[in-house]
Amino acid sequence: MKKTLKRWIIGISLLGMAVMAAGCASQIPEIDPALLESKKSILVITGPEISDPVKNTLQSTLLEWREQKQTSFEWMQNASALTEEQLDHVRTRPYDMILVAGHELVRNVLPEAGKVPERNWLLLDDVIDRQAFAVSEQNISLKLVTEEQLQAEWDEWVRQQLVSGRNIEWVTTSAYPIPSEWAPSEEAEYISLADAEGWFSQLQYQVQANRPSWIAVYAPLEAAQLQRLNSLRVPVMNLASTRIELQWPGILTSVRDMLEQGRWQPGIQPYTNAEIKFITKRE
């Protein structure tokens, strides 16, 4: 009898605790939708050429953002393009920004990004391509090195040669005219167009006549063309071989500012000095 009574008491106690728990659960407030909306999210897509040190920087920064800034992220690595399935995935996620890095990947993603206008795409080109691009979509921001930036990078070297009285024989193509500050139109005899018929014979004549201190290459040339220049026994300065290294701390600082402040700049955007480093070979 005592055991039966004890079981009843325990059962009633457990039932009472369950009722209390149910009552408490019903009083838990729902999460404010505005709070959910305030959390930022980012999708990072990188190409196969991204180095391991850069991957480590990205990973540590994204984890730090998640822990300290409550920023959620996803990361697609070693991508060369986006499939329709991946584009559908992008459409179903409320990303505040999609960050794409890698030259070939950027070129392949650029036309696809316009198909997902509800997401902001930040594309980072890591090669000085020097092609003319037009970005009219308001959801796409393409960061690259402009011709003006390339000219500014070499301006001091060119002016030093001119001030020192060292003549420069310029080799370029019709698509890449020499800046007028470096070679005024009246100095056309110091310029050779490598896409013109008989250009090398003309260059040989000009080198003999002008006796330049340098042959400066301004347009991207083929390896065989560069080899012919070296046969002229004049030092060659290849401005077109300039490369860049993305400075990820500076880039990620800019991305963080855009996420937090809602600053979005569509179209072609030159890199800032904090976001790239020029790699040049100078004598």
Side-chain angles (χ1 to χ4, degrees), residues 131-187:
Q131 295 184 28
F133 290 96
V135 176
S136 58
E137 295 86 350
Q138 292 300 300
N139 68 312
I140 300 176
S141 181
L142 174 59
K143 287 216 159 194
L144 45 69
V145 175
T146 64
E147 282 291 302
E148 291 77 14
Q149 286 179 298
L150 182 62
Q151 179 181 340
E153 180 62 23
W154 282 97
D155 189 66
E156 182 180 355
W157 179 85
V158 172
R159 292 186 184 280
Q160 283 180 349
Q161 310 314 308
L162 299 179
V163 169
S164 301
R166 302 187 188 100
N167 292 334
I168 299 176
E169 191 73 36
W170 290 97
V171 177
T172 187
T173 62
S174 54
Y176 299 94
I178 305 300
S180 59
E181 297 88 342
W182 295 352
S185 57
E186 62 268 17
E187 297 182 2

Side-chain angles (χ1 to χ4, degrees), residues 16-275:
M17 291 173 64
V19 172
M20 290 177 63
C24 290
S26 65
Q27 298 302 316
I28 295 175
E30 295 182 359
I31 299 177
D32 186 353
L35 181 60
L36 286 176
E37 288 293 330
S38 67
K39 291 188 175 182
K40 301 298 183 181
S41 61
I42 184 171
L43 171 64
V44 178
I45 310 174
T46 54
E49 71 273 24
I50 300 299
S51 66
D52 288 338
V54 170
K55 290 180 181 178
N56 293 336
T57 297
L58 278 170
Q59 182 176 6
S60 60
T61 302
L62 291 171
L63 289 173
E64 179 183 324
W65 287 359
R66 187 175 67 185
E67 294 171 4
Q68 299 183 8
K69 305 289 187 179
Q70 289 75 52
T71 301
S72 61
F73 72 88
E74 291 183 357
W75 186 0
M76 295 182 189
Q77 298 188 38
N78 301 319
S80 56
L82 290 182
T83 64
E84 284 300 322
E85 182 179 357
Q86 289 171 324
L87 287 173
D88 288 340
H89 175 83
V90 169
R91 293 186 182 97
T92 60
R93 293 287 196 276
Y95 300 118
D96 292 281
M97 182 186 296
I98 301 172
L99 177 66
V100 181
H103 178 66
E104 293 300 328
L105 178 61
V106 164
R107 290 296 179 261
N108 291 331
V109 169
L110 182 57
E112 303 297 330
K115 300 177 182 178
V116 191
E118 60 270 27
R119 303 286 176 262
N120 284 339
W121 299 73
L122 177 60
L123 311 181
L124 306 177
D125 197 349
D126 55 4
V127 171
I128 302 179
D129 201 329
R130 302 178 71 181
Q131 295 184 28
F133 290 96
V135 176
S136 58
E137 295 86 350
Q138 292 300 300
N139 68 312
I140 300 176
S141 181
L142 174 59
K143 287 216 159 194
L144 45 69
V145 175
T146 64
E147 282 291 302
E148 291 77 14
Q149 286 179 298
L150 182 62
Q151 179 181 340
E153 180 62 23
W154 282 97
D155 189 66
E156 182 180 355
W157 179 85
V158 172
R159 292 186 184 280
Q160 283 180 349
Q161 310 314 308
L162 299 179
V163 169
S164 301
R166 302 187 188 100
N167 292 334
I168 299 176
E169 191 73 36
W170 290 97
V171 177
T172 187
T173 62
S174 54
Y176 299 94
I178 305 300
S180 59
E181 297 88 342
W182 295 352
S185 57
E186 62 268 17
E187 297 182 2
E189 67 273 13
Y190 285 90
I191 300 174
S192 295
L193 299 180
D195 56 348
E197 185 176 354
W199 72 275
F200 189 71
S201 298
Q202 178 64 28
L203 175 62
Q204 287 178 306
Y205 169 78
Q206 292 181 189
V207 166
Q208 291 176 357
N210 298 329
R211 299 186 177 277
S213 301
W214 292 98
I215 294 176
V217 179
Y218 189 66
L221 299 183
E222 297 176 358
Q225 293 175 310
L226 291 172
Q227 210 167 25
R228 297 184 77 181
L229 295 182
N230 291 325
S231 68
L232 296 175
R233 297 184 179 182
V234 176
V236 176
M237 183 63 72
N238 190 356
L239 282 64
S241 67
T242 305
R243 300 182 295 109
I244 59 168
E245 286 182 359
L246 300 187
Q247 303 299 290
W248 282 97
I251 287 173
L252 292 172
T253 297
S254 299
V255 171
R256 186 73 248 169
D257 289 343
M258 281 190 279
L259 286 173
E260 292 182 345
Q261 301 176 18
R263 294 186 297 102
W264 178 250
Q265 294 179 300
I268 304 296
Q269 301 297 325
Y271 283 110
T272 66
N273 292 334
E275 294 172 337

